[in-house]
Amino acid sequence: MPKDIWIIANWKSKETLSDGLNWLSLVGPNIRKDEAVKVVVCPSFTSLEEVKKDILAGGYPLMVGSQDLSPFPAGAYTGEESAAELRQFVDIAIIGHSERRKNFGETDGQIAQKVKQANKFGITPLVCVQSADTPIPEGCKLLAYEPVFAIGTGNPDTPENADQVAKELKLKSKQEINVCYGGSVTSENITSFLNKPNISGALIGAASLDPNEFNNILQAVYNI
Ligand code: PGA
């Protein structure tokens, strides 16, 4: 395979701990020890610790991500999950997902703060951008282009347009970045996105919840 690929499962607020552990038992053994294909699961905060333990116990080559992270350092910020705490369990953090921008009023300024916190504690920030015009925060090396119309709708962007947006994002970034695509990715369409030269992975919501479908996605990626 010519480039590094990120396959990132975003469980959102949908997967209970027992469903998540069942998923791990069915998907974990199918993840190959392949440096070029990085597989990440992003459970909700309540499941992070147990999921991490289960991955270590099973010896699965699977990284863990959080779906958000506090813009503040550790301190008196009730209800927040600081990077200093999260680093016990996670390798990466999804930051600036459009659902957070829309439902929680998250701003580009807060997103930039979150990226800073993540980097300070060795967590890779995966910043979601909705178009080529979304600002790219300083210190961000991994993006997910996720057009709002494609999220949870079964109506993905075309691989051609996603590739064009990824190309523009790469040109505009001050440093070298990898760009993933997200929005209605399935085992049927993932290959058409990953075959594009500027797309380095996929952020997958609905299709990541079903262990059989996620195994099909992995199989499609390993077959490229
Ligand atoms: P979807 O979600 O795959 O269900 O469209 C993607 C995302 O929101 O990250």
Side-chain angles (χ1 to χ4, degrees):
M1 196 170 294
K3 58 184 174 187
D4 278 3
I5 296 287
W6 291 84
I7 302 298
I8 304 159
N10 176 10
W11 286 351
K12 308 194 179 183
S13 300
K14 295 182 175 177
E15 193 89 322
T16 62
L17 177 58
S18 61
D19 287 343
L21 296 183
N22 181 52
W23 185 99
L24 280 178
S25 71
L26 296 170
V27 173
N30 295 320
I31 302 171
R32 296 190 192 161
K33 286 197 172 65
D34 179 344
E35 284 288 302
V37 179
K38 302 175 197 309
V39 186
V40 187
V41 64
C42 302
S44 49
F45 291 129
T46 49
S47 298
L48 280 179
E49 183 173 359
E50 287 302 317
V51 163
K52 178 73 184 177
K53 272 191 202 157
D54 216 67
I55 290 170
L56 291 175
Y60 308 136
L62 174 61
M63 286 189 259
V64 179
S66 59
Q67 298 173 17
D68 188 27
L69 163 155
S70 176
F72 298 107
Y77 301 101
T78 301
E80 285 294 278
E81 306 283 344
S82 68
E85 296 165 293
L86 286 170
R87 73 164 162 179
Q88 301 173 93
F89 311 118
V90 309
D91 308 288
I92 85 169
I94 300 174
I95 293 176
H97 192 285
S98 59
E99 288 158 7
R100 295 211 57 83
R101 295 180 195 251
K102 174 171 165 252
N103 298 312
F104 304 94
E106 215 165 81
T107 64
D108 290 327
Q110 288 167 329
I111 289 162
Q113 284 296 110
K114 291 180 179 198
V115 168
K116 251 192 212 156
Q117 285 297 317
N119 280 331
K120 195 167 166 194
F121 289 94
I123 298 172
T124 300
L126 164 65
V127 175
C128 298
V129 299
Q130 290 69 49
S131 75
D133 297 330
T134 311
I136 304 173
E138 209 181 306
C140 171
K141 295 189 204 123
L142 186 62
L143 292 182
Y145 160 57
E146 293 207 313
V148 171
F149 70 81
I151 296 179
T153 59
N155 178 29
D157 201 347
T158 62
E160 292 68 31
N161 193 58
D163 188 55
Q164 179 58 33
V165 173
K167 188 175 170 185
E168 286 171 33
L169 288 164
K170 284 178 155 190
L171 285 173
K172 136 175 157 176
S173 172
K174 292 196 193 95
Q175 57 183 315
E176 209 175 297
I177 52 167
N178 283 315
V179 183
C180 301
Y181 167 75
S184 297
V185 171
T186 65
S187 60
E188 296 291 312
N189 62 24
I190 190 161
T191 308
S192 60
F193 288 102
L194 297 186
N195 276 337
K196 292 292 175 196
N198 296 293
I199 298 181
S200 301
L203 178 55
I204 307 160
S208 77
L209 293 170
D210 173 3
N212 291 329
E213 171 63 356
F214 198 74
N215 278 331
N216 290 339
I217 287 172
L218 290 178
Q219 202 48 57
V221 175
Y222 294 135
N223 284 342
I224 291 176

